[in-house]
Amino acid sequence: MRVALEALSREHLRELAHGGIPPGLAARALAGALPPARVASRALARRDAGHAQPWCEVFAVARASDGTIVGGCGFKGEPVDGRAGIFYGVAPAQRGQGIATAAVRLLVARAFAQGAQGVLAEILPGNIASERTVQACGFVRLGEHVAADDEVVVQWLARETRSLFMHPVPGSTP
């Protein structure tokens, strides 16, 4: 499935942080598609603290065919040791259609374009769908890790490879 990432504005994030749905997005967003309040609050706090804009961005994931917002994703903050952390989610009614995979590929490409040396995804143990998503995007399993919130997660890392993120132009030679 083809998707587009639409950066959420400060006003969108404020509305989400207060538990609302931004008026400009409400008519297009499916239930459970937009990032939760805690994610919006975290992004706003990082922006207000002066963190670099590309690493504080939160996106709506829109279906390319009709603009319906079917998920959300973004960066968790500036890269640590060259690794940019990402998050993503898809509306429950839209799962299993390749939306998360398409969104993660776009996020990974953005991270590398901004100079990250790797992209890190942290997944709760047993979340098979999310594991399949990152595997399809070329991530490799690093192992279990205790996250900042004291929750055990499995870390997955993607390193830049031309074959995953650079698509040849028809008629060109690789």
Side-chain angles (χ1 to χ4, degrees):
M1 173 166 298
R2 291 181 35 90
V3 300
L5 301 184
E6 299 178 9
L8 297 178
S9 69
R10 182 177 293 278
E11 292 74 27
H12 290 146
L13 292 172
R14 276 194 201 112
E15 184 71 29
L16 289 168
H18 290 99
I21 297 177
L25 303 179
R28 296 185 327 152
L30 298 179
L34 292 168
R38 64 180 166 72
V39 170
S41 295
R42 180 181 64 205
L44 284 170
R46 289 201 166 118
R47 285 182 181 187
D48 291 345
H51 291 263
Q53 177 61 27
W55 305 115
C56 299
E57 284 193 303
V58 177
F59 301 95
V61 178
R63 203 169 32 218
S65 63
D66 63 5
T68 299
I69 297 172
V70 293
C73 63
F75 297 107
K76 291 184 173 183
E78 294 169 329
V80 175
D81 297 328
R83 297 174 175 177
I86 62 168
F87 67 89
Y88 54 92
V90 174
Q94 297 296 299
R95 292 180 182 156
Q97 299 179 40
I99 294 166
T101 301
V104 168
R105 283 190 173 134
L106 292 172
L107 268 183
V108 169
R110 280 180 182 264
F112 290 134
Q114 293 295 327
Q117 298 167 0
V119 177
L120 191 65
E122 294 182 330
I123 300 172
L124 292 172
N127 186 340
I128 304 302
S130 206
E131 288 179 2
R132 287 184 180 143
T133 294
V134 294
Q135 287 173 332
C137 293
F139 284 66
V140 294
R141 187 181 195 278
L142 297 180
E144 289 189 355
H145 171 76
V146 178
D149 60 2
D150 291 329
E151 196 162 34
V152 174
V153 294
V154 179
Q155 291 187 320
W156 293 78
L157 179 67
R159 292 191 178 94
E160 189 170 19
T161 59
R162 295 183 62 83
S163 63
L164 282 178
F165 306 107
M166 304 297 285
H167 303 287
V169 175
S172 67
T173 55

